[in-house]
Amino acid sequence: MTALRGLWPEVQDTCTSLGLMLLLVLFMGLARVVTRLQLHRFMMTHTFVLEFLATFQLCCCTHELQLLSEQEPAHPTWPLTLIYFFSLVHGLTLVGTSSNPCGVLMQMLLGGMSPETGAIRLLAQLIGALCSRYCVSALWSLGLTKYHLNERTFVCRNPIQVDLPKAVITEAICSFIFHSALLHFQEIRTKLRIHLLAALITFLVYAGGSLTGAVFNPALALSLHFKCFDEAFLRFFIVYWLAPSLGILLMILMFSFFLPWLYNNHTINKKE
């Protein structure tokens, strides 16, 4: 009984964090409904607000998930379960948005999005990422749990545990794999696709989380590690902005140019 009483504050704090995340998802969902009803005639404003809300939701929830994962770093099963669950939640609620500059870059390079729309989405993601940081800071200052410390948001908690080349390779590979799956899972049924992508995200975080955090999202990285960008901008810019973009470029080169060229050469050689 004494052991249960000792565990109860930890359970309370976890439930509070989970409740806050689910409440945030609910409010963002209501905001999206209002946006679609009121702004559907103003295409650019509609696009901007939806992308802003999606990025804001993703970043705020990830801040809280990161906080929960640090409570028991020796037992990663629970944080990975939460990552999988909230990846499902985001996949179900953020349909039609990317919340990731790399996703916008991919669509622009493949001709699926105009430069004007891409610029609007990128601006919305940047503002959403920065606003989420200040919202989380204000929320944590309320001290709803013992882990909610406002000082956390003003300290650089460097997630890069390897040298620069390995960090770049890790983020580039994660971005390459995730966006390759995103591109090639489009023909799969929506419900199954969301589960596959959530499982893939969980696996990538498990595989690369101890190296760089496995963020592969420049907007999310800016929100999570804004203070680190301020203190070591070039290093974090290369790892969290350039490396994921490099992964996108390599993915497009491989699937749009190299593999078709290889297939055509193989076909010609067989005919000869």
Side-chain angles (χ1 to χ4, degrees), residues 33-52:
V33 170
V34 172
T35 299
R36 290 191 176 100
L37 290 174
Q38 301 296 324
L39 299 176
H40 65 278
R41 290 175 295 176
F42 308 99
M43 188 55 67
M44 285 302 183
T45 305
H46 177 264
T47 300
F48 177 89
V49 174
L50 287 181
E51 197 67 48
F52 169 85

Side-chain angles (χ1 to χ4, degrees), residues 59-79:
C59 292
C60 286
C61 287
T62 307
H63 274 283
E64 201 68 37
L65 279 175
Q66 190 179 57
L67 192 68
L68 285 172
S69 68
E70 291 175 3
Q71 292 176 26
E72 291 189 56
H75 301 87
T77 307
W78 173 239

Side-chain angles (χ1 to χ4, degrees), residues 112 143 217 253 270:
N217 182 335
L253 286 173
K270 281 184 73 175

Side-chain angles (χ1 to χ4, degrees), residues 63 66 129-130 133-134 137 150-160 218-237 240-241:
H63 274 283
Q66 190 179 57
L130 293 176
R133 181 175 181 82
Y134 292 108
S137 177
N150 191 36
E151 296 79 17
R152 285 177 56 92
T153 60
F154 298 103
V155 178
C156 172
R157 305 174 71 84
N158 190 348
I160 303 175
L220 180 58
L222 182 65
S223 180
L224 292 175
H225 309 300
F226 181 79
K227 190 63 180 176
C228 298
F229 275 93
D230 183 43
E231 295 179 4
F233 176 79
L234 185 59
R235 180 180 176 85
F236 278 76
F237 175 78
Y240 292 114
W241 289 2

